[in-house]
């Protein structure tokens, strides 16, 4: 019966990550309604991501001592209240505050939910367990973001946030009534012991790799709705259905990534990074061809979804003695990348145009590929050094 708590956490993760990513589909109408430019509205993505990056390790290390069920319920209630505030925001300042508050809950929920899932099934099946948790993340892109876009197109972006608030309160109730109280066998590690993993240069390299990959992803993904509206001529409805298809193919990447990362974490990063760069490069040139654009978005969607779980498990496996703290480091690194990517994408749009987003994103992913190769070599040298040491 271990599947039930993991599925409940996956469902809660859907709401948490939809809250973070819903702006991807709402940027154009939100910017028009609040009287700001697209790059200025994109700063809301940066604010959210930077808040996660700055607070993640510290909040996760502190809250890891608390009983998980109660903590997860509180996080979902917090998300419901913040989404309700966003729905009522009269200006960009209030919207920024409404986005800042839930950002503090993302790393706590995601890192501790991941650790809870791994504790339930064991380290040898960590990838499979986290792939179930990640299913909620993928559903956020398959259903959450595009449905939010469709609701916004039909009723307005404020209704989309209001609906998301209702979903968050509903998920909090489900966790309260049906999630069993967790009693982990592993003793809580002191804060000093958890922070000790920061001395490992390979772990820092893994976190940096996640940062680079997410910077590349979100340089383009943050403004995908704007790109489709301006270059492909899609209206709100078409953008919503396109984002849904983009997320749907991500289910393939989630499944494959969850299986491959347990075998070779760095190899899995390389396997998905290279084709993602190609997909990013192909998006704008393929705009004039329905089949070409479909293929480019499919490659991008599959590989991006795979790299969500691959990056997460890769960093957790790099610090098995402090997996929740390592997960929070990955979340911070990934969100730092999301924030930087939104900034870079906004500057690219202002300086060159929306058509250059894919090229800029692919260049950043190329740097991540180079770092992956270096980490693979460094880990091989470290393993060889351990094998050569006398017992």
């Amino acid at each position: 019966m271990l599947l039930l708590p993991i599925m409940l956490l996956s469902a809660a993760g859907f709401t948490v990550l939809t809250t973070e990513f819903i702006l991807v589909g709402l940027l154009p109408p939100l910017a028009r309604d609040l009287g700001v430019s697209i790059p200025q509205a994109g700063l809301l993505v940066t604010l959210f991501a930077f808040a996660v990056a700055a607070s993640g390790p510290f909040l996760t290390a502190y809250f890891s001592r608390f009983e998980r069920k109660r903590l997860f319920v509180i996080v979902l209630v917090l998300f419901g209240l913040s989404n309700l505030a966003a729905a009522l925001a009269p200006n960009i300042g209030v919207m920024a505050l409404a986005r800042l508050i839930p950002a503090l809950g993302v790393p706590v929920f995601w890192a501790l939910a991941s650790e809870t899932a791994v504790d339930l099934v064991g380290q040898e099946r960590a990838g499979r367990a986290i792939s179930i948790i990640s299913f909620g993340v993928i559903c956020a892109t398959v259903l959450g973001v595009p449905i939010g876009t469709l609701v916004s197109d039909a009723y307005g972006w404020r209704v989309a946030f209001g609906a998301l608030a209702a979903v968050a309160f509903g998920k909090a109730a489900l966790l309260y009534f049906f999630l069993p109280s967790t009693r982990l066998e592993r003793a809580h590690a002191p804060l000093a012991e958890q922070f000790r993993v920061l001395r490992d240069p390979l772990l820092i390299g893994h976190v940096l790799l996640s940062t680079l990959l997410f910077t590349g992803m979100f340089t383009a993904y943050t403004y995908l709705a704007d790109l489709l509206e301006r270059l492909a001529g899609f209206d709100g409805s078409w953008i919503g259905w396109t984002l849904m298809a983009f997320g749907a193919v991500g289910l393939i990447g989630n499944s494959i990534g969850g299986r491959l990362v347990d075998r070779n974490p760095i190899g899995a990063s390389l396997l998905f990074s290279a084709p993602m760069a190609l997909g990013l490069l192909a998006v704008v040139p393929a705009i004039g061809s329905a089949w070409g654009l479909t293929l480019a978005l499919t490659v991008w969607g599959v590989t991006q979804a795979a790299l969500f779980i691959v990056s997460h498990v890769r960093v957790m496996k790099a610090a098995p003695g402090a997996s929740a703290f390592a997960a929070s480091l990955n979340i911070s690194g990934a969100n730092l990348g999301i924030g930087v990517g939104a900034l870079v994408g906004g500057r690219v749009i202002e300086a060159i145009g929306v058509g250059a987003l894919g090229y800029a994103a692919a260049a950043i992913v190329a740097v991540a590929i180079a770092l992956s190769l270096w980490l693979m070599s460094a880990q091989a040298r470290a393993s060889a050094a351990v094998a050569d040491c006398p017992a």
Side-chain angles (χ1 to χ4, degrees), residues 4-287:
L4 176 60
I6 297 177
M7 290 299 294
L8 286 171
L9 292 174
S10 178
F14 165 84
T15 305
V16 169
L17 271 297
T18 298
T19 297
E20 179 169 7
F21 297 145
I22 193 171
L23 275 181
V24 168
L26 306 186
L27 278 184
L30 183 147
R32 287 191 290 267
D33 190 38
L34 297 182
V36 297
S37 68
I38 291 289
Q40 286 174 327
L43 291 176
L44 293 171
V45 177
T46 298
L47 172 68
F48 194 108
F50 281 0
V52 173
S55 66
F58 306 100
L59 290 179
T60 301
Y62 178 77
F63 284 108
S64 62
R65 71 188 69 190
F66 289 85
E67 198 275 320
R68 302 298 169 79
K69 175 179 178 177
R70 184 180 306 168
L71 185 63
F72 294 152
V73 170
I74 291 172
V75 168
L76 266 294
V77 170
L78 178 68
F79 271 71
L81 293 172
S82 61
N83 284 321
L84 189 58
L88 301 173
N91 54 55
I92 195 69
V94 175
M95 175 61 74
L97 180 61
R99 296 292 294 169
L100 177 63
I101 295 172
L104 304 178
V106 168
V108 174
F109 176 88
W110 182 234
L112 296 182
S114 299
E115 185 189 54
T116 300
V118 173
D119 280 321
L120 288 170
V121 304
Q123 280 286 339
E124 68 279 0
R125 300 185 67 189
R128 301 271 182 103
I130 295 177
S131 70
I132 296 176
I133 300 291
S134 296
F135 184 76
V137 178
I138 303 304
C139 284
T141 58
V142 174
L143 297 174
V145 174
I147 287 178
T149 305
L150 292 171
V151 170
S152 172
D153 184 56
Y155 304 106
W157 61 269
R158 295 182 185 276
V159 175
F161 272 110
L164 187 55
V167 171
F169 290 133
K171 296 290 177 62
L174 285 175
L175 291 178
Y176 180 80
F177 288 110
F178 297 108
L179 182 69
S181 297
T182 55
R183 295 288 183 266
L184 301 180
E185 297 180 2
R186 187 193 325 157
H188 167 70
L191 288 178
E193 182 179 330
Q194 295 184 62
F195 278 93
R196 197 171 296 134
V197 301
L198 293 173
R199 299 176 183 176
D200 183 358
L202 285 179
L203 176 63
I204 300 303
H206 279 287
V207 175
L208 179 58
L209 176 56
S210 293
T211 301
L212 285 170
L213 285 171
F214 277 77
T215 299
M217 292 177 196
F218 281 82
T219 292
Y221 183 64
T222 302
Y223 303 99
L224 180 55
D226 187 41
L227 185 150
L228 294 173
E229 181 180 279
R230 286 208 260 175
L231 298 187
F234 289 4
D235 60 17
S237 177
W238 268 103
I239 291 172
W241 289 113
T242 302
L243 291 176
M244 187 173 292
F246 183 91
V249 298
L251 294 172
I252 302 171
N254 181 65
S255 177
I256 299 173
R259 293 176 182 276
L260 295 183
V261 69
D262 283 328
R263 303 176 190 173
N264 188 339
I266 292 288
S269 292
L270 283 168
L271 179 66
F272 294 108
S273 297
M276 185 172 72
L278 294 176
L280 288 165
L281 285 172
V283 167
V284 172
I287 285 289

